[in-house]
Amino acid sequence: MTDAVAAHDRIPEIALEWHRTGRGAVLATVIETWGSAPRQAGSQLAISGEGEIMGSVSGGCVEGAVVTEALEALSDRKSRVLTFGVSDETAFSVGLACGGTIRVLVEPVGPGDAALGEALLAEVVEARAARQAVALAVSPADWRRAILRPGADAAVDARCRADRSGMEEDGRFIAIHNPPLRLIVVGAVHIAQALVQMGRLCGYDPVLIDPRSAFGSAARFPGERIMEDWPDEAMEALRPDARTAIVTLTHDAKLDDPAIRAALASECFYLGCLGSTRTHAKRVERLMAAGFTEAQIARIHAPVGLDIGAKSPAEIALSVMAQITERLRKG
């Protein structure tokens, strides 16, 4: 990951840093879109009092106007909602097939009845650092704001699962800040070579676990993060959470079982295990003997992947990634 990409993923952190260092900060957030809008709801742009920017709310066609409004917001300490129509001609110049309309929330950070308070922004940043899902809700009608956690609000729960910020019927805009998705793969086999690449394309941060150095080599997995620890030790270090998918591929109980036991004790949203129906039946017997309940074992997707008739390693990886996506988005 380049520094530029990393910075674009840290917009709230950058805005808070600019504010705390006295440079002034404004957060601009896309709250609603129509048509072929350049950026989806939740996309953010940070603007400093010196006119520095990080992030984006469009393909570059409205940023200038947003920066102008942001600097005014720093002066009057008032948030505002801006509406921009992106014409077909402008849309084409930034790579879109047709035009669209976006609404952008512009919030100065710091004091002010209508501003985004430092404490609220700091709570969002702290949650992100701790890999905790959090939402910041704001009502443009009266500028009331609240930090919401999963489990406390049905709308937040639905939006966290869908990774989708947006407006609610009650007039609130809910900005979702989910931890990055992770994909933990146990077993550096042929399927894993395709699966880690597909996972990255789907927005996951993949980690490969295999204590067998001949399998998990940099030559076979160039550029990938490879842990040569035993799976139970690696899982303890990684601490899988509700934004983690885990797949075991070794067919070897000595390697797969420790990872499965750790996964079942975690909050991972997906656990898939390679192996035939007969292999899984034996796996279930071992897990039952180890004290796991039927409900816990039922979390395992085995044989792993959607039944699409996959034959090759790449096709099996595709079926696994599809099942992970289905589980993430549909529950």
Side-chain angles (χ1 to χ4, degrees), residues 182-188 206-213 215-218 221 224-239 255:
R182 291 190 297 175
L183 173 62
I184 299 175
V185 179
V186 180
V207 181
L208 185 63
I209 300 172
D210 200 318
R212 304 167 299 181
S213 58
F215 283 76
S217 66
F221 294 89
E224 300 296 345
R225 181 184 177 189
I226 305 169
M227 299 181 70
E228 294 186 358
D229 305 304
W230 281 93
D232 52 347
E233 297 173 349
M235 296 285 275
E236 183 177 357
L238 291 171
R239 297 187 178 184
L255 297 176

Short mmCIF file of all heavy atoms in Angstrom, two decimals, residues 182-188 206-213 215-218 221 224-239 255:
data_model
loop_
_atom_site.label_atom_id
_atom_site.label_comp_id
_atom_site.label_asym_id
_atom_site.label_seq_id
_atom_site.Cartn_x
_atom_site.Cartn_y
_atom_site.Cartn_z
N ARG A 182 -10.68 -8.36 6.48
CA ARG A 182 -9.48 -9.21 6.46
C ARG A 182 -9.85 -10.61 5.98
O ARG A 182 -10.95 -11.11 6.25
CB ARG A 182 -8.86 -9.31 7.85
CG ARG A 182 -8.22 -8.04 8.35
CD ARG A 182 -7.42 -8.29 9.62
NE ARG A 182 -8.26 -8.74 10.71
CZ ARG A 182 -7.80 -9.12 11.90
NH1 ARG A 182 -6.50 -9.12 12.14
NH2 ARG A 182 -8.63 -9.49 12.86
N LEU A 183 -8.94 -11.24 5.29
CA LEU A 183 -9.09 -12.61 4.84
C LEU A 183 -7.89 -13.41 5.33
O LEU A 183 -6.76 -13.14 4.96
CB LEU A 183 -9.17 -12.68 3.31
CG LEU A 183 -9.16 -14.08 2.68
CD1 LEU A 183 -10.38 -14.88 3.13
CD2 LEU A 183 -9.11 -13.97 1.16
N ILE A 184 -8.15 -14.36 6.21
CA ILE A 184 -7.09 -15.24 6.73
C ILE A 184 -7.21 -16.59 6.04
O ILE A 184 -8.25 -17.25 6.13
CB ILE A 184 -7.21 -15.41 8.26
CG1 ILE A 184 -7.07 -14.05 8.96
CG2 ILE A 184 -6.15 -16.39 8.77
CD1 ILE A 184 -7.29 -14.11 10.47
N VAL A 185 -6.15 -16.99 5.35
CA VAL A 185 -6.14 -18.25 4.62
C VAL A 185 -5.11 -19.17 5.27
O VAL A 185 -3.93 -18.81 5.39
CB VAL A 185 -5.80 -18.04 3.13
CG1 VAL A 185 -5.77 -19.37 2.40
CG2 VAL A 185 -6.81 -17.09 2.49
N VAL A 186 -5.54 -20.35 5.67
CA VAL A 186 -4.65 -21.34 6.28
C VAL A 186 -4.35 -22.41 5.24
O VAL A 186 -5.25 -23.12 4.79
CB VAL A 186 -5.29 -21.98 7.53
CG1 VAL A 186 -4.35 -23.01 8.14
CG2 VAL A 186 -5.65 -20.90 8.55
N GLY A 187 -3.09 -22.47 4.84
CA GLY A 187 -2.68 -23.45 3.84
C GLY A 187 -2.27 -22.79 2.54
O GLY A 187 -3.12 -22.28 1.80
N ALA A 188 -0.97 -22.79 2.24
CA ALA A 188 -0.45 -22.13 1.04
C ALA A 188 -0.50 -23.09 -0.14
O ALA A 188 0.52 -23.44 -0.73
CB ALA A 188 0.98 -21.64 1.30
N PRO A 206 -5.45 -9.68 2.81
CA PRO A 206 -5.23 -11.11 3.01
C PRO A 206 -3.98 -11.41 3.84
O PRO A 206 -2.96 -10.72 3.74
CB PRO A 206 -5.09 -11.65 1.59
CG PRO A 206 -4.61 -10.51 0.79
CD PRO A 206 -5.10 -9.25 1.45
N VAL A 207 -4.07 -12.47 4.63
CA VAL A 207 -2.95 -12.99 5.40
C VAL A 207 -2.91 -14.50 5.17
O VAL A 207 -3.93 -15.17 5.29
CB VAL A 207 -3.08 -12.71 6.90
CG1 VAL A 207 -1.88 -13.25 7.66
CG2 VAL A 207 -3.25 -11.23 7.17
N LEU A 208 -1.74 -15.02 4.85
CA LEU A 208 -1.58 -16.45 4.59
C LEU A 208 -0.82 -17.09 5.73
O LEU A 208 0.24 -16.59 6.14
CB LEU A 208 -0.83 -16.65 3.27
CG LEU A 208 -0.66 -18.07 2.75
CD1 LEU A 208 -2.01 -18.69 2.43
CD2 LEU A 208 0.21 -18.05 1.49
N ILE A 209 -1.35 -18.20 6.25
CA ILE A 209 -0.70 -18.91 7.36
C ILE A 209 -0.29 -20.30 6.89
O ILE A 209 -1.13 -21.07 6.41
CB ILE A 209 -1.65 -19.04 8.57
CG1 ILE A 209 -2.09 -17.67 9.07
CG2 ILE A 209 -0.99 -19.84 9.69
CD1 ILE A 209 -3.19 -17.74 10.13
N ASP A 210 0.98 -20.63 7.04
CA ASP A 210 1.45 -21.98 6.74
C ASP A 210 2.86 -22.14 7.31
O ASP A 210 3.78 -21.44 6.88
CB ASP A 210 1.46 -22.25 5.23
CG ASP A 210 1.46 -23.74 4.92
OD1 ASP A 210 2.19 -24.49 5.60
OD2 ASP A 210 0.73 -24.15 4.01
N PRO A 211 3.03 -23.03 8.29
CA PRO A 211 4.36 -23.21 8.88
C PRO A 211 5.34 -23.94 7.96
O PRO A 211 6.53 -24.03 8.26
CB PRO A 211 4.07 -24.03 10.15
CG PRO A 211 2.83 -24.79 9.82
CD PRO A 211 2.02 -23.88 8.94
N ARG A 212 4.83 -24.46 6.85
CA ARG A 212 5.69 -25.19 5.91
C ARG A 212 6.30 -24.19 4.93
O ARG A 212 5.65 -23.73 4.00
CB ARG A 212 4.86 -26.23 5.16
CG ARG A 212 4.14 -27.21 6.09
CD ARG A 212 3.09 -28.03 5.36
NE ARG A 212 2.03 -27.19 4.77
CZ ARG A 212 0.98 -27.67 4.10
NH1 ARG A 212 0.84 -28.99 3.95
NH2 ARG A 212 0.08 -26.85 3.59
N SER A 213 7.54 -23.85 5.14
CA SER A 213 8.19 -22.79 4.36
C SER A 213 8.23 -23.10 2.87
O SER A 213 8.21 -22.18 2.04
CB SER A 213 9.61 -22.54 4.88
OG SER A 213 10.39 -23.73 4.83
N PHE A 215 5.90 -24.39 1.18
CA PHE A 215 4.60 -24.03 0.61
C PHE A 215 4.41 -22.51 0.62
O PHE A 215 4.08 -21.91 -0.39
CB PHE A 215 3.47 -24.70 1.42
CG PHE A 215 3.29 -26.15 1.13
CD1 PHE A 215 4.18 -27.10 1.64
CD2 PHE A 215 2.23 -26.60 0.37
CE1 PHE A 215 4.01 -28.44 1.38
CE2 PHE A 215 2.05 -27.94 0.10
CZ PHE A 215 2.96 -28.88 0.60
N GLY A 216 4.59 -21.91 1.78
CA GLY A 216 4.33 -20.48 1.92
C GLY A 216 5.55 -19.65 1.59
O GLY A 216 5.99 -18.83 2.40
N SER A 217 6.07 -19.81 0.41
CA SER A 217 7.27 -19.08 0.02
C SER A 217 6.91 -17.80 -0.73
O SER A 217 5.86 -17.70 -1.37
CB SER A 217 8.17 -19.95 -0.87
OG SER A 217 7.53 -20.22 -2.11
N ALA A 218 7.82 -16.84 -0.67
CA ALA A 218 7.60 -15.59 -1.39
C ALA A 218 7.59 -15.82 -2.90
O ALA A 218 6.94 -15.07 -3.63
CB ALA A 218 8.71 -14.59 -1.03
N PHE A 221 4.05 -16.85 -3.55
CA PHE A 221 3.08 -15.82 -3.17
C PHE A 221 3.78 -14.46 -3.11
O PHE A 221 3.94 -13.88 -2.04
CB PHE A 221 2.45 -16.16 -1.82
CG PHE A 221 1.59 -17.39 -1.83
CD1 PHE A 221 2.14 -18.64 -1.58
CD2 PHE A 221 0.23 -17.31 -2.09
CE1 PHE A 221 1.35 -19.78 -1.60
CE2 PHE A 221 -0.57 -18.44 -2.11
CZ PHE A 221 0.00 -19.68 -1.87
N GLU A 224 2.81 -11.13 -0.82
CA GLU A 224 1.77 -11.44 0.16
C GLU A 224 2.35 -11.51 1.57
O GLU A 224 3.54 -11.81 1.76
CB GLU A 224 1.09 -12.79 -0.16
CG GLU A 224 0.43 -12.85 -1.52
CD GLU A 224 -0.74 -11.88 -1.64
OE1 GLU A 224 -1.21 -11.36 -0.60
OE2 GLU A 224 -1.16 -11.62 -2.79
N ARG A 225 1.50 -11.24 2.54
CA ARG A 225 1.91 -11.39 3.94
C ARG A 225 1.78 -12.86 4.32
O ARG A 225 0.68 -13.43 4.26
CB ARG A 225 1.04 -10.54 4.86
CG ARG A 225 1.43 -10.65 6.33
CD ARG A 225 0.48 -9.88 7.22
NE ARG A 225 0.83 -10.06 8.63
CZ ARG A 225 0.07 -9.64 9.64
NH1 ARG A 225 -1.07 -9.01 9.41
NH2 ARG A 225 0.45 -9.86 10.89
N ILE A 226 2.88 -13.48 4.69
CA ILE A 226 2.91 -14.90 5.01
C ILE A 226 3.39 -15.10 6.44
O ILE A 226 4.45 -14.58 6.82
CB ILE A 226 3.83 -15.68 4.04
CG1 ILE A 226 3.41 -15.43 2.59
CG2 ILE A 226 3.82 -17.17 4.37
CD1 ILE A 226 4.40 -15.94 1.57
N MET A 227 2.63 -15.82 7.23
CA MET A 227 3.03 -16.15 8.60
C MET A 227 3.38 -17.63 8.66
O MET A 227 2.56 -18.49 8.31
CB MET A 227 1.89 -15.83 9.58
CG MET A 227 1.48 -14.37 9.60
SD MET A 227 0.14 -14.00 10.78
CE MET A 227 1.01 -14.23 12.35
N GLU A 228 4.61 -17.92 9.10
CA GLU A 228 5.06 -19.31 9.17
C GLU A 228 4.85 -19.91 10.56
O GLU A 228 5.40 -20.97 10.88
CB GLU A 228 6.53 -19.41 8.76
CG GLU A 228 6.76 -19.06 7.29
CD GLU A 228 8.19 -19.30 6.86
OE1 GLU A 228 9.02 -19.72 7.70
OE2 GLU A 228 8.49 -19.09 5.66
N ASP A 229 4.04 -19.26 11.40
CA ASP A 229 3.72 -19.79 12.71
C ASP A 229 2.72 -20.94 12.57
O ASP A 229 2.04 -21.08 11.54
CB ASP A 229 3.09 -18.70 13.59
CG ASP A 229 3.99 -17.47 13.69
OD1 ASP A 229 5.15 -17.62 14.08
OD2 ASP A 229 3.51 -16.37 13.34
N TRP A 230 2.57 -21.70 13.64
CA TRP A 230 1.50 -22.67 13.66
C TRP A 230 0.18 -21.91 13.71
O TRP A 230 0.10 -20.83 14.30
CB TRP A 230 1.65 -23.62 14.85
CG TRP A 230 2.68 -24.66 14.58
CD1 TRP A 230 4.01 -24.62 14.91
CD2 TRP A 230 2.49 -25.88 13.86
NE1 TRP A 230 4.67 -25.73 14.44
CE2 TRP A 230 3.75 -26.53 13.80
CE3 TRP A 230 1.39 -26.50 13.27
CZ2 TRP A 230 3.94 -27.76 13.16
CZ3 TRP A 230 1.57 -27.74 12.64
CH2 TRP A 230 2.83 -28.35 12.59
N PRO A 231 -0.86 -22.47 13.09
CA PRO A 231 -2.11 -21.72 12.94
C PRO A 231 -2.70 -21.17 14.25
O PRO A 231 -3.19 -20.04 14.26
CB PRO A 231 -3.05 -22.74 12.30
CG PRO A 231 -2.14 -23.59 11.48
CD PRO A 231 -0.90 -23.72 12.32
N ASP A 232 -2.63 -21.95 15.33
CA ASP A 232 -3.21 -21.44 16.58
C ASP A 232 -2.44 -20.23 17.09
O ASP A 232 -3.02 -19.25 17.59
CB ASP A 232 -3.28 -22.53 17.64
CG ASP A 232 -1.95 -23.24 17.87
OD1 ASP A 232 -1.03 -23.07 17.04
OD2 ASP A 232 -1.83 -23.95 18.88
N GLU A 233 -1.11 -20.24 16.94
CA GLU A 233 -0.30 -19.10 17.37
C GLU A 233 -0.55 -17.89 16.47
O GLU A 233 -0.65 -16.76 16.95
CB GLU A 233 1.18 -19.47 17.33
CG GLU A 233 1.57 -20.60 18.30
CD GLU A 233 3.00 -21.05 18.10
OE1 GLU A 233 3.62 -20.65 17.08
OE2 GLU A 233 3.50 -21.81 18.95
N ALA A 234 -0.66 -18.14 15.17
CA ALA A 234 -0.92 -17.04 14.23
C ALA A 234 -2.28 -16.42 14.49
O ALA A 234 -2.44 -15.20 14.48
CB ALA A 234 -0.83 -17.56 12.79
N MET A 235 -3.28 -17.25 14.75
CA MET A 235 -4.63 -16.75 14.99
C MET A 235 -4.68 -15.94 16.28
O MET A 235 -5.39 -14.93 16.37
CB MET A 235 -5.61 -17.91 15.05
CG MET A 235 -5.73 -18.68 13.75
SD MET A 235 -6.68 -17.81 12.50
CE MET A 235 -8.31 -18.31 12.94
N GLU A 236 -3.93 -16.35 17.27
CA GLU A 236 -3.89 -15.60 18.52
C GLU A 236 -3.30 -14.21 18.28
O GLU A 236 -3.77 -13.22 18.86
CB GLU A 236 -3.07 -16.35 19.56
CG GLU A 236 -3.04 -15.66 20.92
CD GLU A 236 -2.27 -16.44 21.97
OE1 GLU A 236 -1.80 -17.56 21.66
OE2 GLU A 236 -2.14 -15.94 23.09
N ALA A 237 -2.31 -14.13 17.41
CA ALA A 237 -1.70 -12.84 17.12
C ALA A 237 -2.62 -11.97 16.26
O ALA A 237 -2.67 -10.75 16.43
CB ALA A 237 -0.37 -13.05 16.40
N LEU A 238 -3.36 -12.60 15.35
CA LEU A 238 -4.21 -11.84 14.43
C LEU A 238 -5.52 -11.40 15.06
O LEU A 238 -6.13 -10.42 14.64
CB LEU A 238 -4.49 -12.68 13.18
CG LEU A 238 -3.29 -12.94 12.27
CD1 LEU A 238 -3.64 -13.97 11.20
CD2 LEU A 238 -2.83 -11.65 11.60
N ARG A 239 -6.02 -12.16 16.03
CA ARG A 239 -7.26 -11.83 16.73
C ARG A 239 -8.41 -11.57 15.75
O ARG A 239 -8.86 -10.43 15.57
CB ARG A 239 -7.07 -10.62 17.64
CG ARG A 239 -6.06 -10.88 18.76
CD ARG A 239 -6.02 -9.73 19.74
NE ARG A 239 -5.10 -10.00 20.84
CZ ARG A 239 -4.93 -9.19 21.88
NH1 ARG A 239 -5.62 -8.06 21.96
NH2 ARG A 239 -4.08 -9.51 22.84
N LEU A 255 -3.02 -28.97 11.01
CA LEU A 255 -2.95 -27.55 10.68
C LEU A 255 -4.34 -26.89 10.69
O LEU A 255 -4.50 -25.79 11.21
CB LEU A 255 -2.29 -27.36 9.31
CG LEU A 255 -0.84 -27.82 9.20
CD1 LEU A 255 -0.35 -27.66 7.77
CD2 LEU A 255 0.05 -27.02 10.14
#
